């Protein structure tokens, strides 16, 4: 813990912090309701049933108190990008939260993640056989039920993005399904372009990948999820078939990264 955190703060500072936290929580709950209204509208526009679309509230950098307020409003699906963050937060929150890990995952972080978050329901960012094999091995060693995973596909072609190339998604999905008995292949995930210039093409490409994967694996497309769409493009993603949208700043507000010293 930082030394400054141990210093006693003036009483009025605690009051201000408490008020700010309460205001943020109220805004978060209101924003969550607004997101669900927009999900319903997008689904209706696309002729889809909204209860087949999961909203993952991405709580990256947000305090446990704010997550708890959104939980108390009835929400259960939450997502985190960093292993250290989720293994610190999960024990402080109710066990019926369904955690999704959506960030890049390194092999040496798999055991801490799986042992530290028993209620982890899905890893959305499997992008090569090595991480799939590690997840499979650790899940088997700790005796947990099969872990749902999504194969992350780099549909934008950006070098800065993680994900298997679209041409390799069938092979990786097949590996997960056939060679990883402790994993449950559940679908595909992608991240659209940051400036949204080619987002429709990114999402359409993921849907095309799903068709190819399902044909090769012999499974119905309805059983293969599409995780695509974030705060800036989730309505478009729903119109193009997303079953899992990852909403962070629209619910929780702008990210709060620690200031560099």
């Amino acid at each position: 813990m930082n030394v400054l955190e141990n210093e006693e703060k003036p009483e009025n500072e605690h009051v201000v912090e408490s008020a700010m936290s309460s205001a943020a929580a109220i805004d978060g709950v209101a924003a969550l309701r607004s997101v669900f209204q927009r999900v319903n509208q997008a689904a209706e526009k696309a002729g889809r049933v909204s209860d087949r679309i999961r909203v993952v509230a991405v709580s990256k950098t947000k305090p446990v108190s704010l997550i708890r307020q959104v939980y108390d409003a009835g929400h259960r699906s939450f997502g985190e990008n960093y292993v250290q963050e989720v293994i610190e937060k999960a024990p402080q929150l109710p066990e019926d939260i369904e955690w999704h890990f959506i960030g890049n995952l390194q092999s040496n972080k798999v055991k801490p993640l799986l042992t530290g978050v028993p209620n982890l329901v899905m890893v959305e960012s499997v992008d090569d056989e090595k991480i799939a094999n590690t997840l499979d091995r650790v899940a088997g060693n700790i005796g947990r039920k099969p872990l749902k995973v999504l194969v992350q596909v780099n549909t934008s072609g950006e070098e800065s993005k993680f994900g298997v190339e679209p041409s390799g998604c069938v092979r990786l999905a097949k590996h997960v399904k056939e060679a990883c008995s402790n994993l449950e292949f559940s679908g595909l995930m992608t991240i659209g372009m940051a400036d949204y210039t080619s987002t429709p093409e990114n999402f359409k490409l993921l849907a095309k990948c799903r068709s190819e994967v399902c044909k090769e694996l012999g499974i119905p497309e309805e059983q293969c999820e599409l995780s695509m769409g974030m705060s800036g493009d989730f309505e478009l993603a729903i119109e193009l078939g997303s079953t899992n949208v990852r909403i962070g700043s629209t619910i929780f507000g702008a990210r709060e990264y620690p200031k560099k010293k």
Side-chain angles (χ1 to χ4, degrees):
M1 181 178 286
N2 191 302
V3 176
L4 293 175
E5 293 177 353
N6 288 325
E7 294 180 0
E8 189 172 332
K9 297 178 180 180
E11 186 176 347
N12 63 336
E13 189 173 334
H14 285 296
V15 172
V16 170
E17 284 185 353
S18 177
M20 289 176 66
S21 177
S22 298
I26 293 169
D27 288 344
V29 172
L32 179 69
R33 293 195 184 104
S34 175
V35 164
F36 274 103
Q37 288 176 349
R38 291 168 63 186
V39 167
N40 291 339
Q41 291 168 355
E44 185 176 352
K45 181 178 178 181
R48 300 181 59 200
V49 180
S50 62
D51 62 9
R52 299 288 297 273
I53 301 163
R54 181 190 304 108
V55 173
V56 176
V58 180
S59 45
K60 176 172 66 173
T61 79
K62 297 303 175 179
V64 166
S65 58
L66 184 50
I67 298 171
R68 182 65 196 232
Q69 291 288 338
V70 175
Y71 171 91
D72 288 343
H75 200 64
R76 294 295 178 269
S77 296
F78 291 85
E80 288 285 346
N81 290 65
Y82 303 115
V83 172
Q84 190 59 38
E85 236 186 298
V86 70
I87 63 178
E88 289 176 359
K89 291 176 180 177
Q92 303 178 61
L93 289 158
E95 294 179 357
D96 64 336
I97 282 182
E98 298 181 342
W99 289 105
H100 288 232
F101 188 78
I102 62 176
N104 177 250
L105 182 59
Q106 297 175 323
S107 294
N108 65 340
K109 300 286 188 179
V110 168
K111 186 175 181 180
L113 176 64
L114 267 57
T115 55
V117 190
N119 48 334
L120 178 73
V121 297
M122 182 179 286
V123 172
E124 298 198 17
S125 49
V126 172
D127 60 0
D128 61 30
E129 291 186 8
K130 179 183 178 183
I131 197 66
N133 293 340
T134 305
L135 283 163
D136 179 58
R137 184 179 69 254
V138 173
N141 288 345
I142 66 176
R144 65 155 288 154
K145 65 181 181 180
L147 174 67
K148 292 182 178 181
V149 299
L150 302 182
V151 166
Q152 182 174 355
V153 185
N154 185 348
T155 57
S156 66
E158 296 169 277
E159 291 185 6
S160 60
K161 290 236 176 82
F162 292 100
V164 65
E165 294 294 318
S167 60
C169 68
V170 170
R171 178 178 176 181
L172 182 52
K174 190 173 183 180
H175 176 80
V176 171
K177 186 168 177 59
E178 297 181 355
C180 302
S181 59
N182 298 299
L183 303 182
E184 181 182 335
F185 171 72
S186 299
L188 307 175
M189 182 270 258
T190 199
I191 301 171
M193 291 281 278
D195 61 1
Y196 310 121
T197 53
S198 66
T199 294
E201 288 74 19
N202 300 158
F203 293 164
K204 289 174 183 176
L205 180 53
L206 194 71
K208 181 175 180 286
C209 288
R210 176 174 69 172
S211 296
E212 294 172 354
V213 166
C214 290
K215 181 179 179 181
E216 177 67 25
L217 299 184
I219 58 177
E221 291 193 12
E222 297 74 34
Q223 292 181 14
C224 186
E225 293 209 38
L226 288 181
S227 176
M228 56 190 196
M230 299 188 291
S231 287
D233 55 14
F234 71 90
E235 287 150 312
L236 172 63
I238 289 169
E239 291 176 30
L240 294 175
S242 179
T243 63
N244 187 83
V245 293
R246 311 178 302 272
I247 314 296
S249 58
T250 298
I251 295 174
F252 292 108
R255 305 279 185 239
E256 297 167 4
Y257 294 102
K259 293 180 180 178
K260 292 182 180 180
K261 296 180 181 179

